Amino acid sequence: MERILIIEDDSTILYALSELLKEEGFGAAAVKSLQEAFREDIREYCLILLDLGLPDGEGWAFLERLHAEGKEEEAPPVIILTAREEERDIIRGLDMGADDYVTKPFKTGVLISRIRAVLRRRGKAMRSTQALTCGNIRLDKQKTIVTAGGREISLTAGEFRLLQYLMENKERTLTRNVLLAHFWDNDGEFVNDNTLTVMVKRLREKLGSGSRQYIHTVRGIGYKMEDADD
Ligand code: CA
C-alpha cells in the first residue's frame, strides 16, 4: 500500500485527512512537528502533505532541509497544505521545490485529485527515458530532435533545454525563479528574466500556432506545460 506522510499539528484536520486517505486506499502516517518529521525516513512514503504553521517552526524548514541534504531526488513529492493563500507564499513554496500547493479549507475531492495528479506525474517522470511527449510535440533526448505534429523543429540549445525541462515537469507550474535557477545550474550561463520571456515566446512561435496552447503562462508565477487545450 502506498503511504502518505502528513505533517500537520491540527488534530481535527489530521484526523479528517487520515480518514480521507484511508478511504481512498492510501496508508497514512502523521507527525505533528518538524522535529518528528525530521526523524522520519521519508523514502518510505509516496507523498508528503506539509502544513506550514507548525509548533516548532515553519514548514519551509522541512523543504530547506531536503534541499540542503540534496535529498530532492530520492524524496517523495511534497504538497503544501496551508491556510496561507498569498501569491508570495505560493511562489516561495513552488520555488523551494514543492510539487503543488493547496489552500485550506480544501475540498476533499480536489485534494485527492491533486494528490493523484502529482503521483501520476512522478510515475511518468521515472519512466520517461528518451522521448517526452506533450500533445503533438515529441522531444527525443538522445537524438536531441523535437517534432510538432511529425514536423521537425529546429531549436537553439537553450530553447531545447527549456522545452525539455518544461516537458519533464509537464502539468507542474514552474516559477520563473525555478526555471532561471535550472539554467544557471546546468550551464553557469546567465539567463535573466527577459531572456526567459523571449525564449518562451520564440519556443511557442517555433512550435507553431497549433501548439501554442501547450505552454501556458501562469500569471504572476511562471509557466506550465499541459496536454489539454484551454
Ligand atoms: Ca498548523
mmCIF file of all heavy atoms in Angstrom, residues 208-229:
data_model
loop_
_atom_site.group_PDB
_atom_site.id
_atom_site.type_symbol
_atom_site.label_atom_id
_atom_site.label_comp_id
_atom_site.label_asym_id
_atom_site.label_seq_id
_atom_site.Cartn_x
_atom_site.Cartn_y
_atom_site.Cartn_z
ATOM 1 N N GLY A 208 4.769 26.382 -33.414
ATOM 2 C CA GLY A 208 3.641 26.618 -34.304
ATOM 3 C C GLY A 208 2.379 26.957 -33.548
ATOM 4 O O GLY A 208 2.228 26.643 -32.362
ATOM 5 N N SER A 209 1.486 27.606 -34.246
ATOM 6 C CA SER A 209 0.262 28.079 -33.596
ATOM 7 C C SER A 209 -0.547 26.914 -33.028
ATOM 8 O O SER A 209 -1.250 27.056 -32.041
ATOM 9 C CB SER A 209 -0.590 28.880 -34.579
ATOM 10 O OG SER A 209 -0.828 28.095 -35.719
ATOM 11 N N GLY A 210 -0.411 25.752 -33.667
ATOM 12 C CA GLY A 210 -1.171 24.582 -33.202
ATOM 13 C C GLY A 210 -0.738 24.140 -31.811
ATOM 14 O O GLY A 210 -1.490 23.502 -31.094
ATOM 15 N N SER A 211 0.504 24.493 -31.430
ATOM 16 C CA SER A 211 0.974 24.015 -30.127
ATOM 17 C C SER A 211 1.056 25.143 -29.108
ATOM 18 O O SER A 211 1.481 24.952 -27.986
ATOM 19 C CB SER A 211 2.335 23.342 -30.265
ATOM 20 O OG SER A 211 2.978 23.777 -31.415
ATOM 21 N N ARG A 212 0.638 26.327 -29.507
ATOM 22 C CA ARG A 212 0.684 27.474 -28.613
ATOM 23 C C ARG A 212 0.012 27.181 -27.269
ATOM 24 O O ARG A 212 0.440 27.630 -26.240
ATOM 25 C CB ARG A 212 -0.023 28.659 -29.268
ATOM 26 C CG ARG A 212 0.101 29.953 -28.505
ATOM 27 C CD ARG A 212 -0.463 31.079 -29.336
ATOM 28 N NE ARG A 212 0.374 31.323 -30.507
ATOM 29 C CZ ARG A 212 1.277 32.301 -30.563
ATOM 30 N NH1 ARG A 212 1.440 33.098 -29.557
ATOM 31 N NH2 ARG A 212 2.001 32.480 -31.632
ATOM 32 N N GLN A 213 -1.037 26.396 -27.331
ATOM 33 C CA GLN A 213 -1.791 26.139 -26.108
ATOM 34 C C GLN A 213 -1.067 25.205 -25.136
ATOM 35 O O GLN A 213 -1.491 25.051 -24.021
ATOM 36 C CB GLN A 213 -3.181 25.577 -26.441
ATOM 37 C CG GLN A 213 -3.189 24.176 -27.025
ATOM 38 C CD GLN A 213 -3.055 24.189 -28.538
ATOM 39 O OE1 GLN A 213 -2.472 25.121 -29.103
ATOM 40 N NE2 GLN A 213 -3.576 23.195 -29.208
ATOM 41 N N TYR A 214 0.039 24.595 -25.560
ATOM 42 C CA TYR A 214 0.696 23.642 -24.657
ATOM 43 C C TYR A 214 1.537 24.333 -23.578
ATOM 44 O O TYR A 214 1.679 23.833 -22.489
ATOM 45 C CB TYR A 214 1.574 22.661 -25.442
ATOM 46 C CG TYR A 214 0.777 21.790 -26.376
ATOM 47 C CD1 TYR A 214 1.084 21.707 -27.730
ATOM 48 C CD2 TYR A 214 -0.293 21.037 -25.899
ATOM 49 C CE1 TYR A 214 0.345 20.905 -28.581
ATOM 50 C CE2 TYR A 214 -1.033 20.235 -26.748
ATOM 51 C CZ TYR A 214 -0.709 20.170 -28.086
ATOM 52 O OH TYR A 214 -1.434 19.391 -28.922
ATOM 53 N N ILE A 215 2.136 25.463 -23.924
ATOM 54 C CA ILE A 215 2.911 26.188 -22.904
ATOM 55 C C ILE A 215 2.026 27.294 -22.347
ATOM 56 O O ILE A 215 1.748 28.277 -23.018
ATOM 57 C CB ILE A 215 4.208 26.787 -23.486
ATOM 58 C CG1 ILE A 215 5.068 25.692 -24.123
ATOM 59 C CG2 ILE A 215 5.000 27.501 -22.392
ATOM 60 C CD1 ILE A 215 6.319 26.218 -24.827
ATOM 61 N N HIS A 216 1.573 27.092 -21.130
ATOM 62 C CA HIS A 216 0.660 28.053 -20.516
ATOM 63 C C HIS A 216 1.421 29.035 -19.639
ATOM 64 O O HIS A 216 2.339 28.645 -18.940
ATOM 65 C CB HIS A 216 -0.368 27.331 -19.641
ATOM 66 C CG HIS A 216 -1.257 26.407 -20.407
ATOM 67 N ND1 HIS A 216 -2.485 26.774 -20.872
ATOM 68 C CD2 HIS A 216 -1.065 25.133 -20.826
ATOM 69 C CE1 HIS A 216 -3.029 25.764 -21.535
ATOM 70 N NE2 HIS A 216 -2.182 24.755 -21.519
ATOM 71 N N THR A 217 0.987 30.284 -19.693
ATOM 72 C CA THR A 217 1.531 31.272 -18.764
ATOM 73 C C THR A 217 0.677 31.230 -17.506
ATOM 74 O O THR A 217 -0.542 31.316 -17.587
ATOM 75 C CB THR A 217 1.449 32.683 -19.375
ATOM 76 O OG1 THR A 217 2.225 32.701 -20.578
ATOM 77 C CG2 THR A 217 1.988 33.729 -18.409
ATOM 78 N N VAL A 218 1.321 31.027 -16.356
ATOM 79 C CA VAL A 218 0.583 31.093 -15.098
ATOM 80 C C VAL A 218 0.833 32.490 -14.550
ATOM 81 O O VAL A 218 1.933 32.801 -14.089
ATOM 82 C CB VAL A 218 1.055 30.010 -14.110
ATOM 83 C CG1 VAL A 218 0.229 30.053 -12.837
ATOM 84 C CG2 VAL A 218 0.976 28.633 -14.748
ATOM 85 N N ARG A 219 -0.137 33.323 -14.685
ATOM 86 C CA ARG A 219 0.027 34.758 -14.440
ATOM 87 C C ARG A 219 0.662 35.066 -13.084
ATOM 88 O O ARG A 219 0.220 34.568 -12.060
ATOM 89 C CB ARG A 219 -1.337 35.450 -14.549
ATOM 90 C CG ARG A 219 -1.240 36.946 -14.743
ATOM 91 C CD ARG A 219 -2.577 37.519 -15.153
ATOM 92 N NE ARG A 219 -3.003 37.046 -16.468
ATOM 93 C CZ ARG A 219 -2.590 37.583 -17.623
ATOM 94 N NH1 ARG A 219 -1.753 38.582 -17.618
ATOM 95 N NH2 ARG A 219 -3.025 37.101 -18.763
ATOM 96 N N GLY A 220 1.706 35.856 -13.135
ATOM 97 C CA GLY A 220 2.376 36.292 -11.907
ATOM 98 C C GLY A 220 3.283 35.234 -11.299
ATOM 99 O O GLY A 220 3.980 35.495 -10.329
ATOM 100 N N ILE A 221 3.280 34.018 -11.853
ATOM 101 C CA ILE A 221 4.046 32.939 -11.233
ATOM 102 C C ILE A 221 5.081 32.335 -12.183
ATOM 103 O O ILE A 221 6.269 32.317 -11.892
ATOM 104 C CB ILE A 221 3.098 31.859 -10.667
ATOM 105 C CG1 ILE A 221 2.229 32.461 -9.547
ATOM 106 C CG2 ILE A 221 3.895 30.668 -10.138
ATOM 107 C CD1 ILE A 221 1.293 31.525 -8.870
ATOM 108 N N GLY A 222 4.639 31.854 -13.332
ATOM 109 C CA GLY A 222 5.601 31.234 -14.243
ATOM 110 C C GLY A 222 4.918 30.551 -15.405
ATOM 111 O O GLY A 222 3.984 31.099 -15.990
ATOM 112 N N TYR A 223 5.375 29.331 -15.699
ATOM 113 C CA TYR A 223 4.837 28.611 -16.863
ATOM 114 C C TYR A 223 4.490 27.169 -16.502
ATOM 115 O O TYR A 223 5.034 26.587 -15.559
ATOM 116 C CB TYR A 223 5.865 28.592 -17.997
ATOM 117 C CG TYR A 223 6.230 29.959 -18.490
ATOM 118 C CD1 TYR A 223 7.399 30.575 -18.074
ATOM 119 C CD2 TYR A 223 5.382 30.651 -19.364
ATOM 120 C CE1 TYR A 223 7.738 31.853 -18.514
ATOM 121 C CE2 TYR A 223 5.718 31.928 -19.815
ATOM 122 C CZ TYR A 223 6.881 32.515 -19.389
ATOM 123 O OH TYR A 223 7.220 33.767 -19.823
ATOM 124 N N LYS A 224 3.614 26.624 -17.335
ATOM 125 C CA LYS A 224 3.214 25.225 -17.132
ATOM 126 C C LYS A 224 2.922 24.632 -18.493
ATOM 127 O O LYS A 224 2.286 25.253 -19.333
ATOM 128 C CB LYS A 224 1.968 25.178 -16.254
ATOM 129 C CG LYS A 224 1.346 23.800 -16.147
ATOM 130 C CD LYS A 224 0.470 23.686 -14.922
ATOM 131 C CE LYS A 224 -0.895 24.262 -15.101
ATOM 132 N NZ LYS A 224 -1.817 23.835 -14.019
ATOM 133 N N MET A 225 3.388 23.422 -18.716
ATOM 134 C CA MET A 225 3.113 22.761 -19.972
ATOM 135 C C MET A 225 2.043 21.708 -19.733
ATOM 136 O O MET A 225 2.110 20.943 -18.779
ATOM 137 C CB MET A 225 4.393 22.101 -20.483
ATOM 138 C CG MET A 225 4.316 21.786 -21.942
ATOM 139 S SD MET A 225 5.902 21.989 -22.724
ATOM 140 C CE MET A 225 5.455 21.547 -24.390
ATOM 141 N N GLU A 226 1.058 21.700 -20.617
ATOM 142 C CA GLU A 226 -0.058 20.772 -20.441
ATOM 143 C C GLU A 226 -0.516 20.198 -21.769
ATOM 144 O O GLU A 226 -0.486 20.881 -22.774
ATOM 145 C CB GLU A 226 -1.254 21.505 -19.806
ATOM 146 C CG GLU A 226 -1.246 21.507 -18.311
ATOM 147 C CD GLU A 226 -2.472 22.179 -17.737
ATOM 148 O OE1 GLU A 226 -2.915 23.206 -18.304
ATOM 149 O OE2 GLU A 226 -2.989 21.686 -16.740
ATOM 150 N N ASP A 227 -0.985 18.957 -21.712
ATOM 151 C CA ASP A 227 -1.538 18.309 -22.897
ATOM 152 C C ASP A 227 -2.806 18.994 -23.368
ATOM 153 O O ASP A 227 -3.018 19.221 -24.534
ATOM 154 C CB ASP A 227 -1.920 16.850 -22.583
ATOM 155 C CG ASP A 227 -0.700 15.946 -22.581
ATOM 156 O OD1 ASP A 227 0.161 16.144 -23.444
ATOM 157 O OD2 ASP A 227 -0.641 15.060 -21.729
ATOM 158 N N ALA A 228 -3.650 19.274 -22.377
ATOM 159 C CA ALA A 228 -5.000 19.710 -22.703
ATOM 160 C C ALA A 228 -5.028 21.142 -23.219
ATOM 161 O O ALA A 228 -4.208 21.963 -22.835
ATOM 162 C CB ALA A 228 -5.875 19.601 -21.473
ATOM 163 N N ASP A 229 -5.979 21.412 -24.084
ATOM 164 C CA ASP A 229 -6.187 22.775 -24.555
ATOM 165 C C ASP A 229 -6.933 23.546 -23.467
ATOM 166 O O ASP A 229 -7.536 22.983 -22.590
ATOM 167 C CB ASP A 229 -7.075 22.795 -25.815
ATOM 168 C CG ASP A 229 -6.400 22.068 -26.942
ATOM 169 O OD1 ASP A 229 -5.263 21.579 -26.747
ATOM 170 O OD2 ASP A 229 -7.004 21.980 -28.018
#
